[in-house]
């Protein structure tokens, strides 16, 4: 009660302090009277149209609650609560905001604003959509206009009248929708893919300049190629015009020989990028771009030579002070053959625990390994704790000389201006989720490379020797044999293995043995950034080995950057 009284007093004081303003109405008395009559008409309900635009919808009084009940009775969207959850929400919000305040995330003003002492339940309402009913769309819209009552100019009445549906820019038209993203709720579409799926709006060719040869939604026949006589000159806003000479909405798009310029990574190689490729897509084309008069100064992996990669990998190799010593690991490699017959012998018969005590980052790396479901097709989601584990892991490995050397190299190349920019990019390329199977976000580069996955009954990825050791120790891995043994006599070494993971077979899988987690991260990231989708030759202790990386091309981040699909040593 005290809180209520305080709020009322505060509002009265605010009203007292406010200066009164006299507004000049632009409506006549008759127009205001007409609006008031509509407001008090109990037979209709007046609501603003969904998606804004200033539209007003007038419904029969019975239609509004009927539609509201239809929405509320949809079990896929709403469910009836057994009790008022407000108290539980208050308690949960209090706990979260206390943590945020204690950690300095929230200041006092923000903390008090979020913690409302007198919360109330939200009021349910809905906004009707204009021309959304695909089964029985309205033929007409209505507007208010003045009529002469009994031809007497002194007595004016107001009535609703029909408007021309053809002039209405609805979701069945491409007006203002050219190049828009796909929305499954729309009855027809206005982008290039609608030509392929034969679901373009009937005015797609006319409004968007499309060349769809397939049937369009709402049309009675196949669209005909327009002639020059069909076109009209009109003004366009140069900055807003998304044409085929711009990368607006086209980043990462497939090559089309009809386009005058292109907006994917290969355009850098063939020197046919659109002039705004670097600006819009975040590209780093060092070659000339189509429509450009000068070369871009932004560096890419193409500017890094093979010798530079070898030299840097040797620096990383020497900087890896957390790698295993010869006495730390005893391996039982068994015979080198293609024979995959199961054996009971352990691959690693002795591993010094001091390897896991050399750096906090190794412990943090192990903590990341249990955050995934190995079966593709199962949606992966990160909890707040798991995201925090990722952040702390990067904080720790960036303290090592290995990762410092890698960042310094890319920084001097002009590829990253700050260390945090580099870390953010690494996190996205390694931990960004994408789908390898049925549409679920079921995979990421880290899971595939370091943890391993099972797809169609076979093991894929799994290139971490630490993860392999831990699972073998638990009896979940049965090592068979090897088909490659590197020339190194100390660690890191490279071995090609054949093994069984709880009934799932891995025919060939290489692992860098005895290396630290930061070294693996560094060499895989080096090769992915400098030679994405290609073999990249590195050098360790004077011996060369190739690292093969692949990009995930179906989805991207940051205007066309690719996630890591896989990375592994090859021979």
């Amino acid at each position: 009660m005290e809180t209520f009284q305080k709020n009322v007093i505060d509002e009265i004081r605010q009203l007292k302090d406010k200066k009164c303003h006299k507004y000049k109405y632009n409506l006549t008395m008759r127009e205001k009277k007409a609006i008031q009559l509509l407001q008090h008409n109990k037979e209709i309900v007046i609501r603003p149209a969904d998606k804004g635009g200033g539209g007003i919808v007038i419904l029969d009084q019975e239609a509004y609650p009927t539609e509201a009940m239809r929405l509320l009775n949809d079990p896929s969207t709403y469910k009836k609560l057994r009790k008022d959850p407000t108290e539980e929400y208050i308690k949960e919000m209090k706990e979260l905001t206390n943590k945020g305040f204690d950690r300095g995330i929230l200041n006092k003003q923000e903390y008090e604003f979020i913690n409302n002492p007198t919360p109330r339940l939200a009021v349910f309402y809905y906004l009707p959509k204009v021309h959304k009913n695909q089964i029985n769309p309205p033929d007409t819209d209505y507007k208010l206009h003045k009529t002469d009552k009994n031809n007497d100019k002194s007595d004016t009445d107001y009535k609703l009248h029909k408007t021309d549906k053809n002039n209405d820019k609805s979701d069945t038209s491409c007006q203002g929708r050219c190049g828009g993203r796909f929305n499954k709720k729309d009855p027809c579409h206005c982008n290039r893919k609608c030509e392929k799926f034969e679901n373009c709006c009937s005015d797609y060719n006319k409004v968007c300049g499309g060349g769809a040869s397939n049937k369009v939604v709402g049309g009675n026949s196949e669209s005909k190629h327009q002639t020059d006589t069909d076109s009209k000159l009109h003004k366009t806003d140069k900055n807003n015009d998304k044409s085929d000479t711009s990368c607006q909405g086209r980043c990462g798009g497939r090559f089309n020989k009809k386009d005058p310029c292109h907006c994917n990574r290969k355009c850098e190689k063939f020197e046919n990028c659109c002039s705004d490729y670097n600006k819009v897509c975040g590209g780093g084309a060092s070659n000339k771009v189509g429509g450009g008069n000068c070369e871009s100064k932004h560096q890419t992996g193409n500017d890094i030579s093979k010798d530079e990669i070898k030299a840097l990998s040797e620096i990383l190799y020497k900087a890896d002070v957390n790698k295993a010593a010869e006495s730390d690991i005893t391996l039982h490699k068994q015979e080198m053959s293609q024979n995959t017959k199961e054996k009971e012998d352990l691959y690693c018969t002795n591993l010094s625990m001091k390897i896991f005590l050399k750096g906090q980052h190794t412990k943090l790396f192990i903590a990341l390994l249990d955050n995934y479901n190995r079966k593709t097709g199962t949606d992966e989601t990160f909890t707040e704790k798991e995201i925090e584990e990722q952040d702390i892991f990067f904080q720790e490995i960036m303290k090592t000389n290995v990762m410092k050397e890698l960042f310094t190299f890319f920084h001097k190349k002009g590829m990253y201006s700050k260390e945090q920019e580099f870390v953010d990019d690494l996190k996205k390329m390694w931990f960004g989720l994408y789908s390898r199977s049925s549409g679920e976000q079921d995979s990421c580069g880290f899971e595939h490379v370091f943890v391993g996955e099972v797809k169609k009954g076979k093991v894929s990825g799994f290139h971490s020797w630490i993860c392999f050791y831990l699972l073998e120790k638990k009896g979940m891995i049965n090592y068979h044999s090897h088909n490659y043994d590197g020339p190194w006599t100390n660690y890191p070494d490279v071995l090609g293995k054949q093994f069984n993971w709880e009934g799932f077979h891995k025919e060939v899988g290489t692992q860098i043995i005895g290396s630290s987690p930061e070294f693996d991260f560094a060499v895989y990231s080096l090769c992915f950034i400098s030679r994405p989708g290609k073999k990249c030759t590195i050098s360790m202790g004077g011996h060369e080995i190739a690292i093969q990386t692949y990009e995930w091309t179906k989805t991207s981040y940051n205007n066309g950057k690719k996630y890591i699909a896989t990375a592994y040593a090859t021979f």
Side-chain angles (χ1 to χ4, degrees), residues 74-89:
D74 179 8
S76 63
T77 307
Y78 300 98
K79 68 176 181 180
K80 189 174 182 179
L81 299 176
R82 295 180 179 178
K83 63 177 182 178
D84 184 352
T86 305
E87 291 299 325
E88 294 179 8
Y89 291 160

Side-chain angles (χ1 to χ4, degrees), residues 297-339:
K297 295 181 181 180
H298 188 77
Q299 301 285 313
T300 69
N302 293 330
D303 303 307
I304 301 172
S305 68
K306 294 180 180 178
D307 289 338
E308 285 179 312
I309 294 175
K310 291 181 187 177
L312 177 60
S313 57
E314 281 290 356
I315 293 174
L316 301 179
Y317 175 79
K318 293 176 183 177
D320 187 15
V321 296
N322 294 316
K323 60 178 175 283
E326 287 186 59
S327 59
D328 288 337
I329 305 175
T330 302
L331 300 179
H332 183 62
K333 299 178 182 178
Q334 302 181 34
E335 71 267 20
M336 183 175 180
S337 69
Q338 298 295 327
N339 183 12

